[in-house]
Amino acid sequence: MRGVVMDEYFHSVRLIENRCKGCVICARRCPIEAIRIRHGRAQIIEPRCIDCGECIRRCPSHAKAAITDSLDDLAQYEYNIALPAPALYAQFGIETRIDSILSGIVALGFDEVFEVAQGAEIVSLAIKDYLKRSDIKRPAISSACPAVVRLIQIKFPELIDNLVPIDAPVEVAARVMRAKASQERGINPDDIGIWFITPCPAKMTAVKRPLGSEKSNLTGAIGISQIYGQLLKMLQQGRSVDTIHRRHASWLGINWAVAGGESAAVGAKNKLIVHEINSVNEVLEQVALGRLTAIDYIELLACAGGCIGGPLTVENRFVAEANMKQRALKMQAEDAAEDKVPLQEYMESALGVNERRAIEPRPILRLDEDIFKAIYKVEVMEKILEKLPGLDCGSCGSPNCKALAEDITQGKASETDCVFKLRERVRDLAKEMMDLAEKMPPSLDKDTS
Amino acid sequence: MQGEHCIILEFKLQGSDFESAGEASSRLKVVLQQVGVKSDVVRRIAVSAYEAEMNVIIHAYCGTMRAMVYPGRTEIEVVDEGPGIADIELAMQEGYSTAPDYVREMGFGAGMGLPNMVRCTDKFKIESQVGRGTVIKMMIFH
C-alpha cells in the first residue's frame, strides 16, 4: 500500500519536543516504564511502547500526540471508504442519528462509509463459535485491543496462546469492504483507501504494524479528535448525503465501544471484564499465575470505560458512556419493534484465516542476550537498588528507583543521577574537605608535642 | 563467572497474609524475565512458586521462600512453620484440601496446589512433620 512506512518499531505515539517541559508525569504513569526524561525531554523507548496512549492522556503540556493520517491523504486514492469506530457515536447525544453522523463523514470527502460495528458483529459470532471449541486454552483472552495484545507480547508472552486468534472488528470490516468495493466497482484493491476513524493511537499503530497478520487491510487511521470539529460543522449544516445503502449495524455491534459490550455480544458465560491498563496488568498477572481457571472469557481494554475512553476521543468518558448506553437501549427497542435481529451468520472469508500469522513474544525485558551476563546484571541491579532511597520520585528521569537501577546497570544512567545520592556524595566530599582543612603540616603543628 | 553462580532471592512469608499473596512469585517472575528464561518455563516456575507461596499463606504460621536462579535451572525451596501434613500421599491427590471454608470462598484451596507443583516442575520433593512444618524443594530446568 502507498504511503505506508513499515518499521519494526513504528509507533503512533510521539513527542512534540517544543511542548515538553521535561516533567516526569508521563514517565511515572507509563504502565510499561517505556519513558525516560533525558536532556530535559521525554524519550520513548520504542521497543517497549505499547501505544496505549496513557502519556497522551496524562501530559499537562499536551506534548504527547498520536501520528495519524489526515483527510488530505485521501487524494492519493481513487476510492475512499471511512470506517468509523462505534466510539464515534458516543461523542454525540442520541438526538444525533447514526445516519446523520455517517452522512456527515461522507461529506468530509469519502466516497463511502461502513460501520466498524458491523465488523464487530461478525467477530462476535466468530468468537462465539471459537469459545464452543474444547481444544482451546482457557481463559480465552480477547485480542480486540491492540495495546493489550502488545502488553501480553512483552510482559505475558506465556499467555499468547490464550489470545483469541480472530482479527479485531476494524480489520474484518476493512477486509470485507476492500473485497466488496473492488468487486462492485471494478477498482484495483490497491487503489482503494480504507480509513479507520479511530479513538486511539494503538489502533493506528496496528494499521502500520499489524498484530496477527502479515498486512493490514486498512490504508490508514484518522483520529476522532482530528475530524470532530469538521464533522460537527457538517452535522450543524444538516448536510445529508444519501450514500448509505448498506445494512446498518445493530445495537449489539455498536455496544463494543463500551467495556462489557464485547462479552455481552459474544455471549460468554463465565466472563471477566477489565478496563484501564493498570487493572488489565493486574488481572493478567493473576491469569499467568494459574488463577482464574474457572473463567471462560476475559475482555481486556486498555482504556478506562472501553474504547469510548480512548485518548483520541473528545467527549468526557462518563458522558460518552451514558450516550452510548442510551443509544444502544433505544436501538434495541426499535429493532425489537421492527423484528430486526443482529447479524446471525457470517462468511469465513471475512476473518481472513489464511492471512493470519502467529503473534510473537517480544522478550524485551531481559537484560542481556547472554544468560550468564543477564544473571550478573540482575545481581548488580539488586545491589544498586538496595542503595537507592526508594522514594520513586522520578527526579532522575527514570520512572522509579527500580528502573534507575536497571538503567545504571545497562550503562544508561549513573548513580549520581539520583538527587539523594548526589547530595550524599556532596556531603561526604564536604566532610572530607573539612577534615583536610584541619590538617597542618607537622612543622607548623604546635598542639602536638 | 562460574557455572554454578546463581541469583538468590529470599522472601519471608506470613500465614494468613492474603494481601501480599503472590508478591514473591511475581517478583521471581520478573527476575526470570530479566534473565531471559523462555516464557513457557517462566510460567511453570511462577505457577509452582505461587502454589507453594499460597500454601504457606493458607496453612502455615510463617515461612520462607528461597529461589535460586542458575543459568540452566531454577531451584525453589519453601520452608514453613505450621501444622504439617499428616498424610502426604492423600494431600498429593487432586481435589483433596484441608483449607477452611473462608479460604475456599476466596477462590483458593481447591486441592490443586501440590498436584500443580508436581506437574509444573522437573523435580519435586516434599517433607513434613506434623506439628512442626513442611519443606518443599522443587527444580525446573530452563
Side-chain angles (χ1 to χ4, degrees), chain B residues 20-42:
Chain B
S20 20
E23 276 177 17
S25 319
S26 293
R27 180 79 195 91
L28 171 60
K29 192 187 146 181
V30 171
V31 167
L32 292 165
Q33 286 183 326
Q34 286 171 330
V35 165
V37 177
K38 277 196 297 256
S39 66
D40 53 322
V41 180
V42 171

Side-chain angles (χ1 to χ4, degrees), chain A residues 183-411:
Chain A
Q183 197 188 21
E184 287 175 4
R185 305 187 175 265
I187 312 169
N188 181 348
D190 285 346
D191 293 332
I192 303 172
I194 300 191
W195 310 90
F196 182 33
I197 312 298
T198 180
C200 75
K203 295 209 163 112
M204 173 67 196
T205 307
V207 175
K208 310 287 187 206
R209 214 153 43 84
L211 294 155
S213 62
E214 209 57 61
K215 180 172 134 182
S216 173
N217 275 286
L218 286 151
T219 308
I222 302 172
I224 287 179
S225 51
Q226 207 180 325
I227 59 152
Y228 181 79
Q230 283 161 280
L231 181 58
L232 208 58
K233 263 184 222 147
M234 295 296 174
L235 289 172
Q236 279 159 356
Q237 289 168 7
R239 294 260 311 255
S240 175
V241 186
D242 187 30
T243 46
I244 302 136
H245 53 283
R246 299 194 192 276
R247 175 189 174 275
H248 274 52
S250 81
W251 60 276
L252 215 58
I254 283 167
N255 238 351
W256 269 62
V258 187
E262 177 190 339
S263 323
V266 164
K269 276 190 211 92
N270 292 318
K271 63 193 173 194
L272 195 64
I273 300 152
V274 188
H275 45 112
E276 197 276 317
I277 192 76
N278 293 300
S279 310
V280 166
N281 193 33
E282 279 169 32
V283 166
L284 286 172
E285 294 252 353
Q286 300 258 314
V287 180
L289 288 176
R291 295 203 65 201
L292 310 183
T293 44
I295 307 277
D296 264 334
Y297 191 64
I298 311 188
E299 175 182 338
L300 297 172
L301 299 156
C303 295
C307 299
I308 49 145
L312 305 183
T313 57
V314 177
E315 188 55 274
N316 168 285
R317 88 118 151 132
F318 294 96
V319 176
E321 190 173 328
N323 282 345
M324 210 64 216
K325 285 193 168 154
Q326 273 181 6
R327 193 183 288 279
L329 275 175
K330 188 166 166 257
M331 283 175 75
Q332 198 174 356
E334 284 171 358
D335 286 0
E338 290 173 35
D339 281 333
K340 273 205 281 187
V341 286
L343 195 71
Q344 298 297 309
E345 50 192 25
Y346 62 97
M347 304 274 282
E348 276 285 326
S349 60
L351 302 176
V353 180
N354 299 333
E355 296 159 40
R356 275 202 78 82
R357 63 166 188 205
I359 292 176
E360 299 288 342
R362 294 176 54 207
I364 51 128
L365 296 179
R366 71 173 169 198
L367 299 176
D368 205 291
E369 301 257 333
D370 178 337
I371 199 160
F372 291 91
K373 282 186 192 156
I375 284 183
Y376 171 72
K377 283 182 178 176
V378 169
E379 287 179 304
V380 171
M381 206 173 92
E382 292 289 322
K383 281 195 189 106
I384 295 170
L385 183 58
E386 270 172 36
K387 287 190 282 176
L388 293 176
L391 286 176
D392 293 343
C393 68
S395 309
C396 58
S398 302
N400 52 52
C401 294
K402 205 173 98 274
L404 175 62
E406 186 183 331
D407 292 345
I408 296 172
T409 308
Q410 297 289 36

Side-chain angles (χ1 to χ4, degrees), chain B residues 39-85:
Chain B
S39 66
D40 53 322
V41 180
V42 171
R43 188 191 61 83
R44 282 167 50 218
I45 299 172
V47 168
S48 43
Y50 177 70
E51 295 287 5
E53 181 185 354
M54 285 315 298
N55 271 356
V56 176
I57 290 168
I58 295 169
H59 300 284
Y61 314 124
C62 63
T64 45
M65 176 160 107
R66 234 169 100 88
M68 284 146 288
V69 181
Y70 293 90
R73 67 180 189 280
T74 293
E75 294 179 14
I76 302 168
E77 231 180 76
V78 181
V79 182
D80 75 41
E81 286 169 36
I85 303 168

Side-chain angles (χ1 to χ4, degrees), chain B residues 108-122:
Chain B
F108 301 105
M112 293 304 293
L114 291 173
N116 260 347
M117 284 181 236
V118 175
R119 209 185 356 252
C120 289
T121 53
D122 295 307

